[in-house]
Amino acid sequence: MDNLKGQLLLASPALFDPNFRRTVVLVTEHTEEGAAGLVLNRRSDTAVVEAVPVYVGGPVQQEAVLCLAEFDDPDDAAIIVLDHVGFVPGDGDFGLIAGGTRRARVFAGYAGWGPGQLESELEASSWIVEEAERVDLFAEPDTDLWSSIMRGKGGIYRVVAMMPDDPSVN
């Protein structure tokens, strides 16, 4: 299995786990020890301040706060995930960091997989892999990111994109 760091995982219609139903996950780490990622399209009802919405990054450690940003200089990131996108250092000067970032999003928690777990889920067709560089990782909050990416893949995925959240109401 190739390293999926920097790739997107789109929940397949067969994935009914409520933590991941119709989610788009950015894989932020993928090694033999396991994998981690952020759910990009689950906005929570909580905000850090009025202007900063918080997204549910996944079901693991939801008390942990992570900030994903697009950096002018990728060397300013704590960890780079893709091109100029990475995590804001927790110990940095946020005033300086804000001046060197184009866009940012705050997440509570993350998605995580133990050794071999993600590979097993991929073999079971629970996830559809998409290159993240083709997608706006910081899409507007009201964008249905999952459906948008599925439509963009074309073919049968265009039909899948029109599926309702609950297929039994189809």
Side-chain angles (χ1 to χ4, degrees), residues 29-67:
E29 191 61 52
H30 188 203
T31 67
E32 289 181 4
E33 288 81 41
L38 290 174
V39 174
L40 298 178
N41 61 326
R42 279 269 160 86
R43 189 170 171 178
S44 77
D45 294 330
T46 307
V48 177
V49 294
E50 287 301 314
V52 181
V54 175
Y55 288 75
V56 178
V60 180
Q61 291 187 355
Q62 289 192 335
E63 66 283 354
V65 176
L66 302 163
C67 185

Side-chain angles (χ1 to χ4, degrees), residues 64-126:
V65 176
L66 302 163
C67 185
L68 189 72
E70 183 177 18
F71 290 84
D72 292 331
D73 180 355
D75 290 336
D76 291 341
I79 298 171
I80 284 292
V81 177
L82 171 74
D83 195 22
H84 284 74
V85 176
F87 289 106
V88 171
D91 59 353
D93 179 335
F94 290 107
L96 287 173
I97 292 169
T101 58
R102 300 174 199 150
R103 304 181 285 177
R105 186 162 281 172
V106 176
F107 295 89
Y110 62 93
W113 295 266
Q117 184 181 0
L118 178 56
E119 291 77 7
S120 295
E121 290 181 14
L122 288 165
E123 287 175 18
S125 299
S126 295

Side-chain angles (χ1 to χ4, degrees), residues 14-38:
L15 184 57
F16 289 104
D17 179 337
N19 291 305
F20 295 106
R21 183 91 178 118
R22 295 176 69 102
T23 59
V24 177
V25 179
L26 173 64
V27 179
T28 58
E29 191 61 52
H30 188 203
T31 67
E32 289 181 4
E33 288 81 41
L38 290 174

